[in-house]
Amino acid sequence: MQEEAGREAIDTFISAFNASSDAYVTELLSQALTPDVVFWGPLGRSGGIEAVERFIIELRGHPAGPGTMARSSAVDAPGEWARYRWTYRTADGGPALTGTDVVHLRNGRIDRMIVFAGDLPAR
């Protein structure tokens, strides 16, 4: 049950990157994240949906044009924490960025998120 809730929250979060307009990003994030979400991204720690929204809007403004985000692995959710790999492709289809996110789930929504640009090494 937790794995399904995690997958739904993660997929809704990813869909915010692919929204038809910036205005729709906030609506999708509100469904995937708690209002007090803590976000550890490439620029450090920030909090709240607005901080995550700024990060997404910035990435959507990539110099190569708007791209698409896709989950490139299954969601590994053994408990309250889940992880997954993702790929962001530029408008011309080339890979711009890949990474792994680790998220903490509370009531079926993400309340803590750690973004690792670049794949984590296999163990």
Side-chain angles (χ1 to χ4, degrees), residues 84-109:
Y84 63 96
R85 288 187 307 276
W86 51 266
T87 300
Y88 184 80
R89 296 194 179 279
T90 59
D92 64 4
L97 192 61
T98 63
T100 301
D101 287 359
V102 178
V103 300
H104 184 267
L105 303 165
R106 180 175 40 147
N107 299 324
R109 290 167 57 197

Side-chain angles (χ1 to χ4, degrees), residues 45-66:
R45 182 183 185 273
S46 54
I49 291 175
E50 299 81 15
V52 180
E53 180 180 21
R54 282 190 302 274
F55 172 74
I56 290 174
I57 300 285
E58 184 177 311
L59 190 54
R60 286 169 52 99
H62 190 278

